[in-house]
Amino acid sequence: QVQLVESGGGLAQPGGSLRLSCTASGSLDGIYVMGWWRQYLGRAREKIAHVTTDGSTNLDDSVKGRFSISSDNVKNSVFLQMDNLRIEDTAVYYCYANGNRPTRTYWGQGTQVTVSS
């Protein structure tokens, strides 16, 4: 089993910044990618960023140039730096990890990000 604990959500003004953190614990040998999804109220989750164990990153077009993802393999953590926040970034952000031993996806509990003036 893998447990993911997120932190760093909250309230920010448009143009402001927040940094989300996610730390994984448990049986991590099979984990090969971690990242973030977000979910708007009443809508399905959408993937916005991921980083693989070899350091490759990917960002959705909706956040490119404003968000960045990084990881600390020693601390089993992944971070989402969110700059130049927009009102439409308001959502619940979920950390996830994909593993192949066994093959499954793990989810954090979600953290609310609210962008409002």
Side-chain angles (χ1 to χ4, degrees):
Q1 277 288 7
V2 173
Q3 296 78 42
L4 302 175
V5 178
E6 302 141 340
S7 61
L11 176 65
Q13 292 186 336
S17 298
L18 286 172
R19 180 178 169 87
L20 305 183
S21 301
C22 174
T23 299
S25 62
S27 301
L28 304 180
D29 287 349
I31 300 300
Y32 60 91
V33 63
M34 292 181 67
W36 298 89
W37 291 56
R38 65 184 175 188
Q39 185 169 22
Y40 300 108
L41 187 63
R43 292 172 55 179
R45 293 182 190 179
E46 58 182 39
K47 188 166 67 174
I48 56 172
H50 73 255
V51 56
T52 64
T53 51
D54 65 0
S56 298
T57 62
N58 183 267
L59 293 163
D60 185 78
D61 287 345
S62 64
V63 302
K64 278 181 181 176
R66 301 187 299 119
F67 292 9
S68 61
I69 187 168
S70 60
S71 62
D72 183 334
N73 291 336
V74 174
K75 297 181 179 180
N76 299 318
S77 297
V78 62
F79 310 97
L80 186 68
Q81 178 66 40
M82 305 185 293
D83 298 319
N84 193 19
L85 283 162
R86 303 169 179 169
I87 291 175
E88 55 264 36
D89 293 319
T90 296
V92 179
Y93 285 69
Y94 292 90
C95 175
Y96 82 99
N98 282 346
N100 54 24
R101 292 194 297 274
T103 300
R104 65 167 291 179
T105 298
Y106 303 91
W107 294 97
Q109 78 280 7
T111 185
Q112 176 70 47
V113 170
T114 301
V115 184
S116 174
S117 56

